């Protein structure tokens, strides 16, 4: 880290261009962006949905999932479940390249619920094969969600 800081300290940056009278300040641009954001209901509702989804779902996948898996399917089974989730995301990516959806936000936000199914099965004590299969579908649903929301912009 100290070595990186030493290299950065030796770098020279170009001078900033002079500010003209018509250029907006950073705070002015933030104000403009916030007003647009707050006037578009679909943007802030999707942002709120993602905030809740990430707080709940990822916290469970990263913290509670391994603890439950340790008592049910073991570390190897949890590794398979996470691998299956990645495979699902890759498969969905391949399909999404060609897929066109008329109203992309409907399947995108609806697919958020599929990410919870493997965790429900894990908590119910279901064997790792079924949890893994549902993880493939959950991972693909998450990929659909990220792709479709990104297409909306």
């Amino acid at each position: 880290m100290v070595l990186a800081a030493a290299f950065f300290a030796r770098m020279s940056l170009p001078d900033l261009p002079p500010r003209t009278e018509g250029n907006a300040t950073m705070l002015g641009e933030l104000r403009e962006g916030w007003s647009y954001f707050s006037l578009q209901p679909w943007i802030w509702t999707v942002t709120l949905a993602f905030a809740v989804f990430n707080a709940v779902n990822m916290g469970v996948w990263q913290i509670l999932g391994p603890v439950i898996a340790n008592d049910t399917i073991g570390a190897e089974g949890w590794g398979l479940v996470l691998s299956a989730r990645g495979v699902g995301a890759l498969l969905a990516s391949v399909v999404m390249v060609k897929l066109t959806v008329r109203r992309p936000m409907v399947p995108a936000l609806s697919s958020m619920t599929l990410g919870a199914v493997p965790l429900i099965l894990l908590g119910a004590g279901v064997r790792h094969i079924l949890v893994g299969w549902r993880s493939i579908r959950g991972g693909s649903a998450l990929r659909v969600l990220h792709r479709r929301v990104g297409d909306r912009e």
Side-chain angles (χ1 to χ4, degrees):
M1 183 123 120
V2 175
L3 185 60
F7 283 124
F8 276 121
R10 295 189 40 88
M11 291 176 61
S12 63
L13 298 174
D15 292 333
L16 291 175
R19 182 179 297 187
T20 61
E21 189 129 343
N23 285 354
T25 64
M26 182 182 80
L27 290 177
E29 289 181 357
L30 280 173
R31 223 179 346 267
E32 179 184 349
W34 181 255
S35 66
Y36 181 80
F37 175 85
S38 61
L39 291 174
Q40 301 297 322
W42 74 268
I43 295 176
W44 59 262
T45 53
V46 169
T47 302
L48 180 63
F50 266 115
V52 171
F53 175 76
N54 283 328
V56 173
N57 193 35
M58 293 312 293
V60 172
W61 271 100
Q62 300 298 326
I63 297 167
L64 191 57
V67 172
I68 294 173
N70 203 28
D71 294 336
T72 56
I73 61 176
E76 297 84 7
W78 184 245
L80 289 172
V81 167
L82 292 180
S83 297
R85 190 172 188 223
V87 167
L90 287 173
L91 291 174
S93 296
V94 170
V95 171
M96 297 296 295
V97 170
K98 299 290 180 185
L99 187 65
T100 303
V101 179
R102 191 176 67 103
R103 295 178 57 202
M105 295 303 285
V106 173
L109 294 173
S110 299
S111 67
M112 288 172 54
T113 58
L114 294 177
V117 174
L119 297 171
I120 293 168
L121 293 175
L122 181 66
V126 175
R127 297 304 312 154
H128 62 279
I129 298 297
L130 184 56
V131 176
W133 172 247
R134 296 307 296 179
S135 291
I136 289 174
R137 303 212 34 215
S140 63
L142 291 175
R143 183 64 198 135
V144 168
L145 174 69
H146 292 137
R147 171 67 189 250
R148 288 296 140 204
V149 171
D151 285 352
R152 176 73 182 193
E153 296 176 320

